[in-house]
């Protein structure tokens, strides 16, 4: 269902039809789960029954379920079907260098920030803000962050340092309406996630869709990350969701390949 903000959009700018069918079905199912008062561990109807209820193919239904699983809302058992995820029961990831999507594999995945990692490991950190601004969201950004095209978006690009060494270039985009404090904060010293936690209501990153790819750096990345040899970069793209399963932050982080390692454990 559209949010109150989306309901005021000019007709046709971001209609439900602009999104892939499986994402529309995932959103409807998430709304129905929330409205039905389901609890952690509750079993969902079978894929066949859900496909019939939402009048889609089982392939589309399976994609919608996979989308909700990627957000940490549900989980599957090969023998028993789909269930609402219990806290700490989903797949886990970890990294040697700081990542916005990291965890203790024994406890399941969490979403945390660079500053959180540095504090936990007693490492000094600082940042250089390359730019920060408020601007209208593009159509593509609006689709991913579920806001209207042209909605106020906070955008920032920073260099992040750990123990005096440059580690990553971060490009963050967040809906300003969720945390107006973003436009007033000095992110050379403050933490993005700490700022989100100070919002009214607090914005708590709970789960993220996360992907990593390796490639050679371009000229600007070589200069910013102080790469003067054949060191590759690891580009991590993260879409984080808040406690209400609403997209909160879209970040592309470009790490020096020799200062970042991604590890993961996978469960069913």
């Amino acid at each position: 269902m559209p949010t109150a903000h989306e309901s005021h959009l000019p007709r046709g700018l971001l209609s439900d039809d602009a999104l892939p069918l499986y994402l529309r079905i995932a959103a409807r199912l998430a709304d129905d789960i929330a409205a039905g008062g389901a609890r952690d561990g509750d079993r969902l109807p079978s894929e066949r029954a859900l496909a019939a209820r939402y009048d889609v193919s089982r392939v589309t239904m399976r994609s919608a379920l996979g989308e909700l699983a990627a957000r940490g809302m549900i989980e599957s058992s090969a023998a028993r079907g789909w269930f609402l995820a219990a806290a700490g029961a989903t797949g886990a990831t970890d990294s040697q260098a700081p990542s916005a999507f990291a965890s203790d594999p024994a406890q399941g995945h969490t979403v945390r920030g660079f500053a959180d990692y540095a504090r936990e490991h007693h490492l000094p950190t600082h940042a250089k803000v390359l730019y920060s601004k408020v601007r209208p969201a593009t159509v593509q950004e609006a689709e991913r962050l579920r806001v209207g095209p042209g909605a106020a978006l906070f955008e920032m690009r920073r260099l992040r340092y750990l123990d005096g060494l440059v580690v990553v270039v971060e490009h963050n985009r967040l809906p300003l309406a969720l945390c107006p404090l973003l436009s007033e904060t000095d992110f050379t010293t403050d933490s993005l996630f700490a700022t989100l936690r100070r919002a009214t209501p607090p914005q708590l990153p709970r789960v993220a869709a996360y992907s990593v790819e390796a490639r050679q750096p371009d000229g600007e990345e070589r200069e910013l990350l102080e790469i003067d040899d054949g060191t590759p970069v690891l580009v991590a793209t993260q879409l984080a969701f808040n406690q209400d399963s609403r997209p909160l932050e879209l970040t592309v982080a470009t790490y020096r390949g020799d200062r970042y390692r991604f590890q993961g454990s996978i469960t069913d």
Side-chain angles (χ1 to χ4, degrees):
M1 295 177 63
T3 65
H5 178 76
E6 289 169 340
S7 66
H8 296 294
L9 287 174
R11 189 171 183 82
L13 267 184
L14 188 63
S15 66
D16 287 344
D17 292 340
L19 296 176
L21 178 58
Y22 80 93
L23 288 180
R24 285 180 268 151
I25 298 302
R28 287 176 57 190
L29 178 56
D31 287 343
D32 289 346
I33 289 172
R39 297 172 296 180
D40 290 352
D42 282 355
R43 185 176 179 178
L44 272 64
S46 69
E47 289 182 3
R48 183 185 299 275
L50 287 170
R53 175 175 180 175
Y54 293 103
D55 194 23
V56 294
S57 70
R58 290 187 67 180
V59 172
T60 297
M61 194 69 241
R62 191 170 296 119
S63 296
L65 291 165
E67 171 69 16
L68 295 187
R71 302 180 197 173
M73 293 181 61
I74 62 175
E75 56 190 8
S76 67
S77 167
R80 301 175 62 211
W82 292 90
F83 297 81
L84 290 189
T90 53
T93 65
D94 200 2
S95 60
Q96 178 177 343
S99 166
F101 185 48
S103 72
D104 178 351
Q107 298 178 0
H109 66 243
T110 59
V111 185
R112 64 179 178 181
F114 189 99
D116 296 327
Y117 176 96
R119 183 170 56 254
E120 290 170 11
H121 292 79
H122 308 289
L123 295 170
T125 181
H126 70 279
K128 178 181 179 182
V129 177
L130 302 175
Y131 67 80
S132 64
K133 59 185 177 182
V134 176
R135 63 165 176 81
T138 66
V139 172
Q140 184 178 19
E141 291 165 339
E143 289 180 356
R144 299 201 69 182
L145 292 168
R146 292 191 212 156
V147 297
L153 200 72
F154 176 76
E155 180 180 27
M156 175 172 60
R157 199 158 179 249
R158 286 184 296 175
L159 276 176
R160 311 296 300 277
Y161 295 80
L162 191 67
D163 203 17
L165 297 174
V166 63
V167 174
V168 59
V169 184
E170 281 186 354
H171 181 201
N172 313 106
R173 284 161 287 175
L174 305 93
L176 187 64
L178 293 180
C179 183
L181 288 172
L182 292 169
S183 63
E184 306 167 7
T185 302
D186 180 3
F187 287 107
T188 59
T189 55
D190 215 332
S191 160
L192 179 61
F193 278 18
T195 303
L196 292 172
R197 290 191 285 265
R198 293 197 299 269
T200 305
Q203 296 298 311
L204 308 176
R206 291 303 193 196
V207 68
Y210 193 83
S211 64
V212 183
E213 64 174 318
R215 61 169 171 78
Q216 288 299 311
D218 61 27
E220 182 190 31
E221 291 164 345
R222 286 182 179 277
E223 181 179 355
L224 292 174
L225 293 171
E226 301 174 5
I227 296 173
D228 56 9
D229 55 18
T231 299
V233 292
L234 290 175
V235 182
T237 302
Q238 169 181 288
L239 180 61
F241 297 82
N242 69 6
Q243 68 273 19
D244 299 318
S245 298
R246 180 172 177 177
L248 175 62
E249 172 213 15
L250 177 61
T251 292
V252 178
T254 304
Y255 292 89
R256 279 188 56 133
D258 57 350
R259 294 176 185 170
Y260 177 81
R261 183 179 68 185
F262 181 82
Q263 293 177 262
S265 59
I266 301 173
T267 69
D268 63 1

